[in-house]
Amino acid sequence: MPSYTVTIATGNQWFAGTDDYIYITLVGTEGCSERTLLDKPLYNDFERGAVDSYEVRVGENLGDIVLVKIEKKKYWVQDDWYCKYITVKTPSGDYLEFPCFCWLVNDKEVVLRDGRAHLPQDDKTSLVKQHRQKELDGRRKTYRWREWQPGFPMSIDANRHKDLPRDIQFDSEKGVDFILNYSKAIENLFVNQFMHMFQSSWSDFSDFEKIFVRIKNTISEYVMQHWKEDFMFGYQFLNGCNPVLIRKCKKLPDKFPVTHEMVAVSLERELTLEEEIEAGNIYIADYEVLDGITPNSTDPCTLQYLAAPICLLYKNAQNKIMPIAIQLGQVPGEDNPIFLPTDGQYDWLLAKIWVRSSDFHHHQTITHLLRTHLMTEVFGIAMFRQLPAVHPAFKLLIPHIRFTIAINTKAREQLICECGIFDKANATGGGGHVQMIQRAVKTLTFRSLCFPDLIKSRGVDSKEELPTYFYRDDGYKVWEATKRFVSDVVNIYYTSDERVQGDEEIQAFVKDVCSFGMQDLDYCEFPKSVKTREELIEYLTVIIFTASAQHAAVNFGQYDWCSWIPNAPSTMRKPPPNKKGLANVNLIVESLPDRGRSSWHLGAVWALSQYQENELYLGMYPDEHFTEKPVKDAMAKFRKELAEITSSIKKRNEGKKLPYYNMSPDKIPNSVAV
C-alpha cells in the first residue's frame, strides 16, 4: 500500500501550537486520500515551533498531488493554530512544498496549492480553477471595504483590531496598544512628573531640556544645540522628517509678494531675486493645505492655533538651503507681514517656529499617515480580495503588507479617532487632521507615489543643483534596486505583454484599488488596468517602495527631529503674529506646547521611532511563499544590491555631524507596521 510522508511546521508565534485534532487530505490528479487524523491531541505534537512528520497511507497512487486540505477540529478548548508549511514526500521520493503561513481558527479548513506560482490563465483543470475561485470568494467576504471618513481612501471593514481576520492581526495586541506604548514611553523618558502640570508653560527654552533625553552624538542633541540657526531650519526641508515639500520656485506666487529689496541682503551672487529664480537658486515650501483648518478645541482651557505659511528658501554659495522670507498666512496684507532674517531676532525665530509647527502637521497627517499608512492599506485590501495565494504578485507583495491593516485599525481605534490620543497634544486634533486628509487626497495621484516622478515634479532632481539632498539620492538607489528585483520576478511569469493583459486577476486587483480603494475619484488618476510588463513592474514597485522605503524615510527619524519640542511644536497656544516687533522670549514660550502636551508629544515621537521586535528588513523573506529557484536567485541578487547601498551610505555618513540613514536598506522594514 503506497504511503506519503507529510511534514508539518508550526509557527513560532506565541499560542501558535494546538491541542486540537488535525486532519489532512491529499488531492491528486488521479484521486484523493481518505481524511486522515494525523495525531491525537494528548501527544501535543503541534506545539509552538514544532516540525513533525506523519504517514498517510492510500489504497492507490493519487497521481500528481495538486492540493492539500488541512482541518482543525476542537478537542477540548478551542485554540487557534498557525501552520507555516506542509511538505509531502511521494512514494517515488519526490518532495512537494505547500506554503501555508496562516492561522486555522475554530473548525476551519485550509486548502493549499503547492508553492509554485501560477497565473490564472495557466490553470487548466477545473479542480484548481475551482479552488482558486473559492479562495477569492471567501476572501472577498472576509476583506470588505469601508469608508472610515468621507473623502478618505477606503479602509478595512473592522472597528477594532480583534475584529480583523486572524491572519492579519498582530501576534500580540498588547505590542501595538498606543495608549500603553505612549504611557510607557512617557515613563521611560522620565517625563511623567510633568503630566500633572498639564496646562502650565515652561519658563524658557532651556526649560525644555528637563524632558529632553540626551543620547550622546545623536541627531536630536545636535538639533537641540543648533535649532535656532537658519542652516538647520533649511536643512530639514531636504533630510528631515518631511523631505517631500520643498520645490523649485519658477515664479513667485501673487499671494506671496516678496520683493528684491526685502531679501537683497540674503542673496550672495550679486543677482536680483528674479535672476536668482531664473538661475534655479530659489525654492519654496507652501503649507496651503492648512489654510482654514479648524484648530483643536477639545480642551476648553487651552486655545490652540494653526497657520498656513509660505516660506522662500535660497541656495547660497555654499549650496546650503537658507530661509529668506516667511509669510504666515495665505492672503497678503498689512496684518500678514513677510518676516525676514533682517527683522528682530525673536520675530524671525517665531516665524520659523510657526513654519516648523506647520511642517510637523503636514508630515504627520499627509506625508506619514495618508501617503504611507492609508495607501498601503488600500493596496493590501485589494491584494487580499483579488489575488489568490498562488498568484506571483500575491507572493511578492504579502511580506510588504505585513501588519499594516492591523496597525491602521489600531490607530483608528485609539489614535486618530474622536477623543483619541492624537487630540491630546496636536493642534490638528479634534477633526483638523480629518479635514487635512480630505483636502490632500485631491492631489494624491498614482504618479505622485512614483518616487522619481515626485522628485522631478518638484524640480529637485538635479544632484548638481542640490548636492546634499540625501533623501533623494538614497531613495533613487533603493527605488531602482527594488524595481530591478520586481522586474526579475515579473519577467519569470510574464513572458510577454499579452500575458499581463490576459491575467484577469491582476487586472481586477488594479481596478479594485482605483474603483473601490480610491473610490474612483475623478482626481485620483490611478490606473484601472495595466497593459504592459513595464506598467506592472512600476505598479508593484510603487507598492513595495511606499510600504518600505518611503515609510521608513518619514517615520523612523521622528525622535531625531521632533524630540526637541521648539523644533517641531505639535501645537501653538498663541495666534501667529500679525505684525512685527511683538515677539520676545516670553511670547514664544507661551506659544509653544505646555508641559503636559510636550510630554505626550515626546512619548509619541519616541514610540513611533522604535523598530518592532524581530523586525524584518527590506530583502528579508523568511516566509518562503515562493519555492522556485529563479525567484530565490532574484531575492539573493536583491539582497546583494541592498547590502552595497547600505555600505555606500555608511561610508558617506562617516564623520558627518548630521548623518542621513533613514533610507539605508538595513534600517528599512519590509512593511508599515508601526
Side-chain angles (χ1 to χ4, degrees):
M1 182 181 286
S3 72
Y4 292 78
T5 304
V6 174
T7 302
I8 299 183
T10 300
N12 275 311
Q13 294 92 331
W14 290 109
F15 313 118
T18 184
D19 285 328
D20 289 347
Y21 292 100
I22 304 297
Y23 295 89
I24 201 160
T25 306
L26 306 179
V27 181
T29 53
E30 296 177 21
C32 63
S33 70
E34 292 184 6
R35 180 171 174 265
T36 305
L37 174 63
L38 293 187
D39 214 342
K40 291 184 170 58
L42 201 57
Y43 293 98
N44 197 26
D45 280 0
F46 301 102
E47 59 188 356
R48 183 168 73 93
V51 179
D52 300 296
S53 296
Y54 309 90
E55 293 295 312
V56 176
R57 299 191 176 277
V58 296
E60 56 188 351
N61 197 301
L62 304 178
D64 296 332
I65 303 297
V66 290
L67 301 174
V68 169
K69 182 190 291 186
I70 190 159
E71 301 169 75
K72 183 176 76 68
K73 297 294 180 184
K74 184 168 77 172
Y75 166 60
W76 189 250
V77 177
Q78 192 78 60
D79 55 354
D80 300 344
W81 175 55
Y82 187 84
C83 177
K84 288 176 69 177
Y85 62 81
I86 295 173
T87 59
V88 177
K89 182 184 177 185
T90 68
S92 61
D94 293 331
Y95 283 88
L96 299 171
E97 295 180 50
F98 293 82
C100 184
F101 303 112
C102 69
W103 289 89
L104 279 77
V105 298
N106 301 324
D107 287 342
K108 177 182 176 181
E109 72 170 36
V110 171
V111 182
L112 306 174
R113 292 270 305 260
D114 75 82
R116 293 169 296 179
H118 295 275
L119 299 180
Q121 58 263 49
D122 294 336
D123 280 346
K124 304 302 182 188
T125 67
S126 60
L127 184 68
V128 290
K129 285 181 179 178
Q130 286 168 7
H131 167 259
R132 199 170 188 126
Q133 191 57 49
K134 187 178 178 183
E135 180 185 1
L136 288 178
D137 289 344
R139 292 247 211 91
R140 286 168 193 152
K141 289 175 185 171
T142 306
Y143 295 86
R144 300 175 305 277
W145 294 110
R146 187 179 75 175
E147 185 182 59
W148 185 64
Q149 293 283 354
F152 271 47
M154 296 283 263
S155 52
I156 194 76
D157 185 10
N159 291 321
R160 297 165 299 179
H161 178 266
K162 65 181 182 181
D163 299 333
L164 292 171
R166 185 68 180 88
D167 285 334
I168 60 169
Q169 291 181 24
F170 278 97
D171 297 336
S172 165
E173 192 177 350
K174 191 183 287 185
V176 285
D177 187 301
F178 286 106
I179 295 170
L180 192 71
N181 287 351
Y182 285 22
S183 302
K184 194 167 141 191
I186 287 167
E187 189 178 330
N188 289 345
L189 296 166
F190 307 108
V191 294
N192 47 351
Q193 58 182 306
F194 300 107
M195 295 300 283
H196 70 280
M197 300 183 284
F198 205 85
Q199 311 285 351
S200 63
S201 294
W202 302 93
S203 308
D204 51 37
F205 296 137
S206 61
D207 207 15
F208 282 97
E209 288 192 52
K210 290 179 181 175
I211 65 163
F212 183 70
V213 179
R214 281 193 250 182
I215 304 164
K216 247 190 172 342
N217 301 320
T218 59
I219 290 173
S220 55
E221 187 171 4
Y222 194 84
V223 170
M224 181 198 73
Q225 293 164 348
H226 299 278
W227 71 281
K228 294 179 184 177
E229 297 170 25
D230 287 355
F231 154 72
M232 175 60 77
F233 178 88
Y235 179 85
Q236 292 177 75
F237 284 101
L238 300 179
N239 302 311
C241 277
N242 197 33
V244 300
L245 202 64
I246 185 173
R247 60 175 59 245
K248 186 171 282 187
C249 180
K250 296 179 179 174
K251 181 181 181 297
L252 276 174
D254 293 339
K255 64 182 181 179
F256 192 26
V258 181
T259 65
H260 172 71
E261 289 69 31
M262 288 180 184
V263 298
V265 70
S266 298
L267 307 180
E268 299 180 359
R269 296 181 178 87
E270 297 185 2
L271 300 173
T272 66
L273 176 59
E274 189 58 43
E275 288 168 341
E276 291 279 19
I277 290 172
E278 285 178 23
N281 297 322
I282 302 295
Y283 295 83
I284 195 167
D286 189 348
Y287 297 88
E288 185 178 14
V289 72
L290 276 155
D291 191 32
I293 296 295
T294 309
N296 191 344
S297 59
T298 56
D299 178 2
C301 299
T302 303
L303 292 176
Q304 299 180 62
Y305 298 90
L306 292 166
I310 312 170
C311 181
L312 204 64
L313 300 147
Y314 174 59
K315 185 187 73 171
N316 68 14
Q318 290 78 44
N319 287 320
K320 291 179 180 177
I321 295 295
M322 308 290 277
I324 58 172
I326 293 170
Q327 182 177 288
L328 296 180
Q330 293 286 310
V331 181
E334 282 187 22
D335 60 348
N336 188 18
I338 295 173
F339 292 93
L340 306 165
T342 49
D343 291 338
Q345 171 190 353
Y346 294 115
D347 280 342
W348 181 236
L349 181 61
L350 183 56
K352 288 192 294 179
I353 289 172
W354 268 105
V355 173
R356 292 295 310 137
S357 184
S358 300
D359 194 74
F360 175 83
H361 298 307
H362 184 281
H363 162 259
Q364 285 291 12
T365 306
I366 298 172
T367 307
H368 184 207
L369 175 59
L370 172 61
R371 296 181 65 91
T372 64
H373 278 258
L374 300 186
M375 281 314 306
T376 304
E377 181 174 5
V378 166
F379 291 125
I381 296 168
M383 179 198 76
F384 282 116
R385 288 172 52 81
Q386 306 299 344
L387 300 177
V390 73
H391 198 288
F394 180 92
K395 292 172 180 280
L396 181 67
L397 294 178
I398 188 69
H400 304 287
I401 306 299
R402 179 176 179 255
F403 297 148
T404 301
I405 300 172
I407 196 73
N408 288 359
T409 303
K410 201 71 180 176
R412 286 186 288 270
E413 191 182 342
Q414 291 185 330
L415 190 63
I416 57 174
C417 56
E418 193 174 345
C419 302
I421 297 175
F422 199 80
D423 290 357
K424 288 186 184 298
N426 294 283
T428 49
H433 59 307
V434 172
Q435 293 174 322
M436 283 181 72
I437 288 179
Q438 288 166 335
R439 286 186 187 180
V441 165
K442 294 177 181 175
T443 57
L444 202 171
T445 62
F446 177 75
R447 294 250 62 88
S448 74
L449 295 175
C450 300
F451 186 79
D453 291 55
L454 186 61
I455 295 290
K456 195 166 187 179
S457 71
R458 293 189 286 114
V460 290
D461 49 317
S462 169
K463 191 167 183 176
E464 289 69 34
E465 291 182 4
L466 283 177
T468 58
Y469 197 5
F470 305 127
Y471 162 76
R472 173 202 59 206
D473 300 340
D474 299 352
Y476 273 149
K477 290 177 184 175
V478 176
W479 171 273
E480 289 303 327
T482 304
K483 192 174 180 182
R484 280 191 289 272
F485 167 57
V486 172
S487 178
D488 287 345
V489 175
V490 164
N491 287 322
I492 291 168
Y493 300 100
Y494 297 91
T495 51
S496 66
D497 291 343
E498 289 72 27
R499 297 268 288 165
V500 174
Q501 295 160 20
D503 182 349
E504 58 191 25
E505 289 170 351
I506 206 74
Q507 301 300 337
F509 165 60
V510 172
K511 187 175 181 183
D512 210 17
V513 168
C514 179
S515 297
F516 288 91
M518 298 304 294
Q519 302 195 63
D520 225 352
L521 298 169
D522 295 336
Y523 39 74
C524 84
E525 297 176 16
F526 274 62
K528 289 187 178 177
S529 65
V530 282
K531 295 182 174 61
T532 66
R533 284 183 290 178
E534 191 54 41
E535 286 179 7
L536 177 58
I537 289 163
E538 182 180 62
Y539 197 92
L540 297 174
T541 303
V542 162
I543 299 170
I544 294 172
F545 186 88
T546 300
S548 57
Q550 183 61 20
H551 178 256
V554 303
N555 182 72
F556 293 102
Q558 290 189 72
Y559 186 77
D560 286 346
W561 295 103
C562 303
S563 57
W564 180 247
I565 307 293
N567 188 58
S570 60
T571 189
M572 296 290 275
R573 296 178 296 139
K574 296 285 183 185
N578 57 10
K579 59 178 72 170
K580 298 185 182 186
L582 295 177
N584 55 37
V585 171
N586 288 340
L587 176 65
I588 294 176
V589 171
E590 286 168 9
S591 297
L592 289 168
D594 56 41
R595 293 168 191 259
R597 286 179 177 82
S598 296
S599 301
W600 269 110
H601 169 89
L602 193 65
V605 298
W606 171 273
L608 288 168
S609 301
Q610 303 308 302
Y611 291 94
Q612 295 276 356
E613 280 184 49
N614 306 316
E615 190 72 81
L616 297 175
Y617 295 93
L618 195 58
M620 293 171 62
Y621 302 111
D623 289 356
E624 295 192 353
H625 292 274
F626 285 105
T627 60
E628 298 98 314
K629 187 176 184 301
V631 184
K632 291 184 177 181
D633 290 344
M635 288 176 175
K637 178 183 160 192
F638 184 38
R639 280 191 289 272
K640 186 169 182 282
E641 280 196 54
L642 293 174
E644 288 167 359
I645 295 169
T646 297
S647 178
S648 69
I649 291 172
K650 190 175 180 183
K651 191 173 180 182
R652 180 199 65 210
N653 282 336
E654 282 175 6
K656 281 192 183 296
K657 291 175 181 173
L658 283 174
Y660 185 77
Y661 46 74
N662 292 333
M663 277 275 199
S664 183
D666 63 332
K667 294 183 181 294
I668 297 176
N670 266 333
S671 63
V672 178
V674 66

